[in-house]
Amino acid sequence: MSPLPSPQASFTSENLEQQLLQEDALLRGHFRLSSGLHSDTYVQCARFLRRPDLAAPAAAELARQIQEAGLQPDVVVGPAMGGVVIGYELARQLGVPGIFTERDDTGQMTLRRGFTVEPGQKIVIAEDVVTTGKSTNEVARVLEGLGAKVLAVASLIDRTGGKAELTFPNFALLPVTAATYAPDDCPLCRAGIPVVKPGSRPEKAFS
């Protein structure tokens, strides 16, 4: 395994980007996303988060930024699947419980497995990557519908380049600006670059 920047060194977004690249968690090329759009960038944070020695310092930096902003959540909620690991580690760093939402049989995001939030509880949503902000807002609506207050979202990567349409603060360790194209108007396709369909969603996700 190639040497990585020491997790004990001062945290920088440059070090994080290098780690993501070396773990093949941040890829450049020609990809078909779960939305059906094509892109020159693909993010698979699970490959980074499999390394506790890398995940812990990243979560510690997110916790530091959240606390420095004067926010103190009661619970961290990480949407399944991508938010589960980073949500657990962020909750550990903040010293609060960490739970997760998941989709039910109808495809709706919900709390299951006996997880609950109480009216008035303050929540930080943890994501591995914010792609559009749509799923983050969906989780926020579920939690707010139960009477909780969403303080912020915290993520490793903001793939919108800071343009996510959120109504609460967005803490991200690395902004990534990725080009996206409609399949019938993709310059990468016109250039003859083969398209790759990464990730784990079934083919019907692209229909």
Side-chain angles (χ1 to χ4, degrees):
M1 182 176 295
S2 302
L4 292 165
S6 169
Q8 302 304 317
S10 296
F11 187 93
T12 67
S13 59
E14 290 79 10
N15 278 355
L16 175 61
E17 184 171 12
Q18 183 181 348
Q19 291 167 350
L20 289 162
L21 290 167
Q22 288 190 279
E23 291 297 306
D24 290 331
L26 179 61
L27 303 174
R28 306 292 187 182
H30 183 192
F31 307 99
R32 182 168 57 166
L33 306 178
S34 60
S35 63
L37 297 175
H38 289 200
S39 180
D40 62 354
T41 302
Y42 185 75
V43 178
Q44 179 51 276
C45 287
R47 293 188 58 84
F48 174 86
L49 292 168
R50 65 182 176 166
R51 294 275 302 274
D53 58 320
L54 302 181
E61 174 62 15
L62 282 173
R64 185 193 68 78
Q65 292 183 17
I66 289 167
Q67 291 173 326
E68 196 170 77
L71 303 178
Q72 181 54 57
D74 300 307
V75 182
V76 172
V77 178
M81 287 290 295
V84 173
V85 175
I86 188 62
Y88 170 83
E89 184 58 33
L90 179 59
R92 190 179 73 84
Q93 297 283 350
L94 290 168
V96 300
I99 62 177
F100 57 87
T101 57
E102 57 189 310
R103 298 198 181 278
D104 62 19
D105 294 339
T106 69
Q108 299 299 307
M109 191 66 79
T110 187
L111 286 171
R112 303 175 71 181
R113 304 173 194 272
F115 292 150
T116 60
V117 295
E118 303 298 327
Q121 279 192 317
K122 294 172 288 186
I123 309 291
V124 165
I125 298 172
E127 299 265 23
D128 55 351
V129 53
V130 173
T131 302
T132 63
K134 181 179 177 181
S135 62
T136 304
N137 282 325
E138 182 182 0
V139 173
R141 286 193 295 271
V142 169
L143 299 172
E144 289 170 348
L146 296 171
K149 176 178 175 56
V150 175
L151 298 179
V153 59
S155 64
L156 294 176
I157 294 175
D158 178 2
R159 200 176 180 277
T160 72
K163 297 178 181 179
E165 295 183 2
L166 302 169
T167 58
F168 37 80
N170 180 8
F171 295 90
L173 297 181
L174 182 67
V176 172
T177 302
T180 56
Y181 311 101
D184 58 356
D185 188 27
C186 175
L188 301 173
C189 289
R190 290 196 294 271
I193 302 172
V195 64
V196 176
K197 179 177 71 71
S200 58
R201 292 192 186 183
E203 183 65 26
K204 66 180 180 181
F206 300 95
S207 60

